[in-house]
Amino acid sequence: MSRPLTPEQAQRTEDLYGPLTQSLRTLIDVVIRSKADDADVTRAHRLIEQAADLLSARIDPEPFGVRAVTTGGVLTWGNVAIGMRNAIAPPLDVRTDETGRATTELELGAPYEGPPGHVHGGICALLLDHVLGATAHRPGTPAFTGTLTLRYVAPTRLGRLRVEAWVDSETSSKTFASGHILDSDGVVTVQADGVFIRPKDKYER
Amino acid sequence: MSRPLTPEQAQRTEDLYGPLTQSLRTLIDVVIRSKADDADVTRAHRLIEQAADLLSARIDPEPFGVRAVTTGGVLTWGNVAIGMRNAIAPPLDVRTDETGRATTELELGAPYEGPPGHVHGGICALLLDHVLGATAHRPGTPAFTGTLTLRYVAPTRLGRLRVEAWVDSETSSKTFASGHILDSDGVVTVQADGVFIRPKDKYER
């Protein structure tokens, strides 16, 4: 892990990269749906290359990983589900309550499509893996997926979704969790259950 | 579905958007790993906004869906796993042989990270859902995931991966498939099995 950031450094980085990554999410979406003239597409391509060149001037050879803040806590800005600097991440904002229940609401558009107009089954799996996993994390000890079973009971339309997960039972090292995805009508579209493991060496996986 | 494209239109669009989307994948990666000066990050943000504005001048209100080519076949350029115009997609290039076995090789970097240095469990699920599903598609009749079970048997490091899937048994409407992810040492990291369904109304899901 690299040197811990001060809260001020973390905030400044978030102020810079948060809005940029949000613009990049918009760009990913419009690249899929654009009907612009060929000349404008070519111009857009050049701008994308210029932006990548500017940001590549100095670059970390490693993926983002987990970075500490001097006041405690960690930053997971590269994470594909929740990362503030990862434009693939919707990003999920997962809330957990005192009972261990984890919940997130999100809106998924064209970039998450599988069957026409619907969320890809694998993206549903990503959402459920992450939110079920969130019931099992402990401060300083993230949990890793052991097994995950998904039942696709209804189509998941692109749009507003809610993901909920809860703990069924626990041992010192394992959490047995269940959860589901609800569409904007409150209909359950995918059900999941899984076993999540807290290894002794916290980064062994 | 919108009007079928001629092969020439399809090729011209692929020549325009293929390289642009590849540059966008690079941009997603460097946004996560950049250590550029604040001024350069701000400049890059402006270029990203300009590119999005150019491409938004004319835009399809719908997600990409599935578009036909006049000579037969369909384009799934928006698909989050395989889409040529979807920068989230690695993209997977899934080959199926005459026995129904489906295989893909790919390289995953920083944008697909979960645990530090490792592929997010949900991305492993996306890969397996898509490649197992590929064993079940029939021309004009895509298959949808019914159930999917994943067993994470070893950590999946970021880097070169191979995904393989095969048919265990079939009925007229269902394919029972299994598969796994192999790392660059040939070690199985995640095993999966699932049931994939070919509905009568091919776009009902």
Side-chain angles (χ1 to χ4, degrees):
Chain A
M1 213 187 284
S2 46
R3 204 152 51 92
L5 275 70
T6 65
E8 293 73 27
Q9 287 173 323
Q11 187 61 55
R12 208 185 61 186
T13 307
E14 191 164 350
D15 290 345
L16 264 179
Y17 281 96
L20 178 149
T21 308
Q22 204 51 44
S23 297
L24 188 51
R25 292 187 182 106
T26 301
L27 181 56
I28 292 169
D29 178 46
V30 299
V31 163
I32 297 168
R33 298 189 294 117
S34 181
K35 295 178 156 191
D37 295 338
D38 291 6
D40 281 344
V41 178
T42 303
R43 265 180 226 119
H45 186 181
R46 232 172 282 137
L47 294 169
I48 290 167
E49 287 181 324
Q50 286 168 21
D53 285 347
L54 278 171
L55 294 170
S56 304
R58 276 194 302 162
I59 195 148
D60 195 330
E62 298 295 317
F64 193 90
V66 169
R67 296 189 195 165
V69 183
T70 52
T71 45
V74 291
L75 304 171
T76 55
W77 287 342
N79 187 288
V80 66
I82 58 172
M84 180 271 288
R85 283 174 68 165
N86 190 329
I88 296 180
L92 301 185
D93 177 19
V94 183
R95 310 291 171 101
T96 50
D97 70 16
E98 64 287 349
T99 70
R101 195 178 182 89
T103 313
T104 191
E105 297 199 351
L106 71 157
E107 175 108 26
L108 294 184
Y112 302 94
E113 192 179 33
H118 292 85
V119 181
H120 192 291
I123 293 294
C124 295
L126 170 65
L127 300 177
L128 286 160
D129 175 61
H130 200 91
V131 180
L132 267 69
T135 68
H137 300 313
R138 297 292 170 268
T141 311
F144 300 94
T145 316
T147 63
L148 183 67
T149 298
L150 303 146
R151 287 171 298 282
Y152 295 79
V153 294
T156 304
R157 286 190 307 277
L158 291 172
R160 196 88 201 146
L161 300 173
R162 183 178 167 87
V163 188
E164 299 176 339
W166 54 89
V167 175
D168 291 323
S169 65
E170 266 185 323
T171 68
S172 60
S173 63
K174 287 183 186 172
T175 295
F176 298 80
S178 297
H180 53 217
I181 297 176
L182 300 160
D183 68 16
S184 56
D185 297 328
V187 173
V188 172
T189 63
V190 189
Q191 299 171 327
D193 57 79
V195 183
F196 296 84
I197 300 160
R198 286 177 291 276
K200 281 165 195 163
D201 170 0
K202 62 180 176 174
Y203 295 129
E204 81 184 20
R205 285 192 58 177
Chain B
M1 211 187 285
S2 46
R3 203 154 51 93
L5 275 70
T6 65
E8 293 72 28
Q9 286 173 323
Q11 187 61 54
R12 209 185 59 187
T13 307
E14 191 164 349
D15 290 345
L16 264 179
Y17 281 97
L20 179 150
T21 308
Q22 204 51 44
S23 297
L24 188 51
R25 292 186 182 106
T26 300
L27 181 57
I28 292 169
D29 178 46
V30 300
V31 163
I32 296 168
R33 298 189 294 117
S34 181
K35 296 178 156 189
D37 295 338
D38 290 7
D40 281 344
V41 178
T42 303
R43 264 180 227 121
H45 186 180
R46 232 172 282 136
L47 294 169
I48 290 167
E49 287 180 325
Q50 287 168 20
D53 285 348
L54 278 171
L55 295 170
S56 305
R58 277 194 302 163
I59 196 148
D60 195 330
E62 298 295 317
F64 192 90
V66 169
R67 295 189 195 165
V69 183
T70 52
T71 45
V74 291
L75 304 171
T76 55
W77 287 342
N79 187 287
V80 66
I82 58 171
M84 181 271 287
R85 283 173 69 166
N86 190 329
I88 296 180
L92 301 185
D93 177 19
V94 183
R95 310 290 171 101
T96 49
D97 69 16
E98 65 286 349
T99 70
R101 195 177 182 90
T103 314
T104 191
E105 297 199 352
L106 71 158
E107 176 107 26
L108 294 185
Y112 301 95
E113 192 179 33
H118 292 86
V119 182
H120 192 292
I123 293 294
C124 295
L126 170 65
L127 299 177
L128 285 160
D129 176 61
H130 200 91
V131 180
L132 266 70
T135 68
H137 300 313
R138 297 292 170 268
T141 311
F144 301 94
T145 316
T147 63
L148 183 68
T149 298
L150 303 145
R151 288 171 298 282
Y152 296 79
V153 294
T156 305
R157 286 190 307 278
L158 291 172
R160 196 87 201 147
L161 300 173
R162 183 178 168 86
V163 188
E164 299 175 340
W166 54 89
V167 175
D168 291 324
S169 65
E170 267 185 322
T171 68
S172 61
S173 63
K174 287 183 185 172
T175 295
F176 298 80
S178 296
H180 53 218
I181 297 177
L182 300 161
D183 68 16
S184 56
D185 297 328
V187 173
V188 172
T189 63
V190 190
Q191 299 170 327
D193 56 79
V195 183
F196 296 84
I197 299 160
R198 287 177 291 277
K200 281 165 195 161
D201 170 0
K202 62 180 176 173
Y203 295 129
E204 81 184 19
R205 285 192 57 178

